[in-house]
Amino acid sequence: MALFGWKNYEKYAWGDNELRPLSKIGHSAGIFGAQTKLGATIVDGLDTMYLMGFKDEYERGRDWIIKNLNINLDAEYSAFEMNIRFIGGLLSIYT
C-alpha cells in the first residue's frame, strides 16, 4: 500500500505537497503557505521508501530534493509541520 500511494503521488502530483486522491490532482496550499510547492510528501515519505527497500523510488525522491527543494521562500509556514515533515524527513535521510 505504501508503494501504491507513492506511485500515485508520483504520477499525479510530483512536486506538490499532497495528492488529492479522488480528483487525482496535486495540492500545495494550506498549512505550507499560499501555493508553495515544497514536495512535502517526497520529503516526508522518503525514509519509508528507503526502509522498505524501494531503491528506485528513494533515488527519484532524493534527486528531486537535491534539484528542487527550496525552503528559502517569503511565506508563512506551520512550525509544527515544518518540524515533523521537513526537518524530521531530511534528518532521516542524512548520510
Side-chain angles (χ1 to χ4, degrees):
M1 289 310 303
L3 188 57
F4 175 81
W6 181 270
K7 292 267 187 196
N8 279 286
Y9 167 77
E10 195 172 6
K11 181 176 181 180
Y12 298 112
W14 192 244
D16 285 312
N17 292 330
E18 303 164 346
L19 167 64
R20 290 183 169 172
L22 297 179
S23 62
K24 296 180 181 174
I25 60 170
H27 177 68
S28 290
I31 58 176
F32 296 105
Q35 290 302 103
T36 305
K37 290 186 175 188
L38 296 172
T41 296
I42 299 169
V43 177
D44 195 21
L46 205 56
D47 57 338
T48 301
M49 295 299 107
Y50 181 82
L51 290 172
M52 295 183 82
F54 300 127
K55 184 178 178 184
D56 293 338
E57 290 75 15
Y58 170 82
E59 290 175 354
R60 284 193 300 275
R62 181 203 58 209
D63 291 347
W64 186 92
I65 289 170
I66 291 168
K67 293 175 187 171
N68 300 289
L69 182 62
N70 177 13
I71 57 173
N72 188 19
L73 303 170
D74 186 18
E76 291 185 19
Y77 302 103
S78 163
F80 175 76
E81 291 294 330
M82 289 303 287
N83 281 323
I84 66 166
R85 295 186 81 176
F86 286 85
I87 294 173
L90 292 172
L91 283 173
S92 71
I93 63 167
Y94 179 76
T95 57

